[in-house]
Amino acid sequence: MNPFLVAYDTNEEMRFIKEAQEGSKSALESLIKLHQRFVYNVALRLVRNAEDAADLTQEGLIKMVTKLSQFRGKSSFRTWLYRIVFNHFIQNQGNKRRLETASFEELGDFLENAHASEEMSVEEQVIYSDLIDDTRNKCMSGMLLCLDRQQRIIFILGAIFNMKSTVAAPLLDISPENFRKQLSRARADLFQFMENKCGLVNPTNPCRCHKKTMGFIKEGKVEPTQRKFMPEAVETIRSVSPQINDELDQLMEDNYMSFFKAQNYEKHEVANEIVQSLLFNSEIKTMFNLN
């Protein structure tokens, strides 16, 4: 779920918090599950692969677990939690490879030259449509890696998940004005790159997702009989994100943003892994006096 939807139940959340602070293991598990999917989907757009995103999500939620006793209700729990988690994402130094930054120049060279001569018939494009979608999603993720960490998460929250600056800025300890300025710069950089390189946006560009897909198949990087890049999902980001209020902005950016928002909204469960590794840990049990 996306906790920024209207259906978000803060009363249930507060019950989980109170019971978890009093030592309820089931309440703590429920609290983790309430937020882990959205956190994971943000992490998935910060890093290169699902495994790294799961690790990063666990680390962020571990910070929540260990700091839960400090929550006093002075702000919404959601704001308190995401401030901890997203700042961990930006500042994390534990695995630099996971949060590396690429360059638009390197990605542009790859899009122009890699597998540029490959072809795929119309029939093959229908047969391999899922693989082509996965290739496109990988390319979108690669573009995000060309932004620095803070710009990346600002773009993810503000442009992909449509969070207003007044909501998103406190999560990153910056002002709404600063958030909007950084979001504007990130959009400009990404959209200019897409206009110059992406064949989906500008038909005169040489890059085509089906050509890259055929090249990956020939290289053995993806098996035609199974999806290797991303697990199956039934929702897209567009379906779980709050709607954009400004219709003009949506119209102007639709050619660019539609590809980011069409990406899968993954149903990856990291909560059970956290329960196994954390909630049965003797130090955590002592800290929370879990029952």
Side-chain angles (χ1 to χ4, degrees), residues 120-133 210 213-214 224:
M120 186 181 283
S121 68
V122 174
E123 292 78 11
E124 287 175 322
Q125 291 183 47
V126 173
I127 294 171
Y128 298 140
S129 60
D130 284 349
L131 296 178
I132 295 171
D133 286 345
H210 66 272
T213 302
M214 180 58 78

Coordinates of all heavy atoms in Angstrom, one line a residue, residues 120-133 210 213-214 224:
M120 N 14.0 -6.3 -34.0 CA 13.0 -7.3 -33.5 C 11.7 -7.1 -34.3 O 11.3 -5.9 -34.4 CB 12.8 -7.0 -32.0 CG 11.9 -8.0 -31.3 SD 11.6 -7.6 -29.6 CE 13.2 -8.2 -28.8
S121 N 11.2 -8.1 -34.8 CA 10.0 -8.0 -35.6 C 8.8 -7.6 -34.8 O 8.9 -7.7 -33.6 CB 9.7 -9.3 -36.3 OG 9.3 -10.3 -35.3
V122 N 7.8 -7.1 -35.4 CA 6.6 -6.7 -34.7 C 6.0 -7.9 -33.9 O 5.6 -7.8 -32.8 CB 5.5 -6.2 -35.7 CG1 4.2 -6.0 -35.0 CG2 6.0 -5.0 -36.4
E123 N 6.1 -9.1 -34.5 CA 5.6 -10.3 -33.8 C 6.4 -10.6 -32.6 O 5.9 -11.0 -31.5 CB 5.6 -11.5 -34.8 CG 4.6 -11.5 -35.9 CD 5.1 -10.5 -37.1 OE1 6.2 -10.1 -37.0 OE2 4.2 -10.2 -37.9
E124 N 7.7 -10.5 -32.7 CA 8.6 -10.7 -31.6 C 8.4 -9.7 -30.5 O 8.5 -10.0 -29.3 CB 10.1 -10.7 -32.0 CG 10.5 -11.9 -32.8 CD 11.9 -11.7 -33.4 OE1 12.3 -10.6 -33.8 OE2 12.7 -12.7 -33.4
Q125 N 8.1 -8.4 -30.9 CA 7.8 -7.4 -29.9 C 6.6 -7.7 -29.1 O 6.5 -7.4 -27.9 CB 7.7 -6.0 -30.6 CG 9.0 -5.5 -31.2 CD 8.8 -4.1 -31.8 OE1 8.2 -3.2 -31.2 NE2 9.4 -3.9 -33.0
V126 N 5.6 -8.4 -29.7 CA 4.4 -8.8 -29.0 C 4.8 -9.9 -28.0 O 4.4 -10.0 -26.9 CB 3.3 -9.2 -29.9 CG1 2.1 -9.9 -29.2 CG2 2.8 -8.1 -30.8
I127 N 5.5 -10.9 -28.5 CA 5.9 -12.1 -27.7 C 6.8 -11.7 -26.5 O 6.6 -12.2 -25.4 CB 6.7 -13.1 -28.6 CG1 5.8 -13.7 -29.7 CG2 7.3 -14.2 -27.7 CD1 6.5 -14.5 -30.7
Y128 N 7.7 -10.7 -26.7 CA 8.6 -10.3 -25.7 C 8.2 -9.0 -25.0 O 9.1 -8.3 -24.5 CB 10.0 -10.2 -26.3 CG 10.6 -11.4 -26.9 CD1 11.3 -11.4 -28.0 CD2 10.4 -12.7 -26.2 CE1 11.9 -12.6 -28.6 CE2 10.9 -13.8 -26.8 CZ 11.7 -13.8 -28.0 OH 12.2 -14.9 -28.5
S129 N 6.9 -8.7 -25.1 CA 6.5 -7.4 -24.5 C 6.9 -7.2 -23.1 O 7.2 -6.1 -22.7 CB 5.0 -7.2 -24.7 OG 4.3 -8.2 -24.0
D130 N 6.8 -8.2 -22.3 CA 7.1 -8.1 -20.8 C 8.6 -7.8 -20.7 O 9.0 -7.0 -19.8 CB 6.8 -9.4 -20.1 CG 5.3 -9.6 -19.8 OD1 4.6 -8.6 -20.0 OD2 4.9 -10.6 -19.4
L131 N 9.4 -8.5 -21.5 CA 10.9 -8.2 -21.4 C 11.2 -6.8 -21.9 O 12.1 -6.2 -21.3 CB 11.6 -9.3 -22.2 CG 11.5 -10.7 -21.8 CD1 12.3 -11.6 -22.8 CD2 12.1 -10.9 -20.4
I132 N 10.5 -6.3 -22.9 CA 10.7 -5.0 -23.3 C 10.4 -4.0 -22.2 O 11.1 -3.0 -22.0 CB 10.0 -4.7 -24.6 CG1 10.5 -5.6 -25.8 CG2 10.0 -3.2 -25.0 CD1 9.7 -5.6 -27.0
D133 N 9.2 -4.2 -21.5 CA 8.9 -3.4 -20.4 C 9.9 -3.4 -19.3 O 10.2 -2.3 -18.8 CB 7.5 -3.9 -19.8 CG 6.3 -3.5 -20.7 OD1 6.5 -2.7 -21.6 OD2 5.3 -4.1 -20.5
H210 N 13.2 -2.2 -27.6 CA 13.2 -3.6 -28.2 C 14.6 -4.0 -28.7 O 14.9 -5.2 -28.7 CB 12.1 -3.7 -29.3 CG 12.3 -2.9 -30.5 ND1 11.9 -1.6 -30.6 CD2 13.0 -3.2 -31.7 CE1 12.2 -1.2 -31.8 NE2 12.9 -2.1 -32.5
T213 N 16.6 -5.0 -25.7 CA 16.1 -6.3 -25.3 C 16.6 -7.4 -26.1 O 17.1 -8.4 -25.5 CB 14.6 -6.3 -25.3 OG1 14.0 -5.2 -24.5 CG2 14.0 -7.6 -24.7
M214 N 16.6 -7.3 -27.4 CA 17.2 -8.3 -28.3 C 18.7 -8.5 -28.0 O 19.2 -9.6 -28.0 CB 16.9 -8.0 -29.7 CG 17.5 -9.0 -30.7 SD 16.8 -10.7 -30.4 CE 15.1 -10.4 -31.2
P224 N 14.5 -15.5 -22.6 CA 13.2 -15.1 -23.2 C 12.0 -15.8 -22.6 O 10.9 -15.4 -22.6 CB 13.4 -15.6 -24.7 CG 14.8 -15.7 -24.9 CD 15.4 -16.0 -23.6

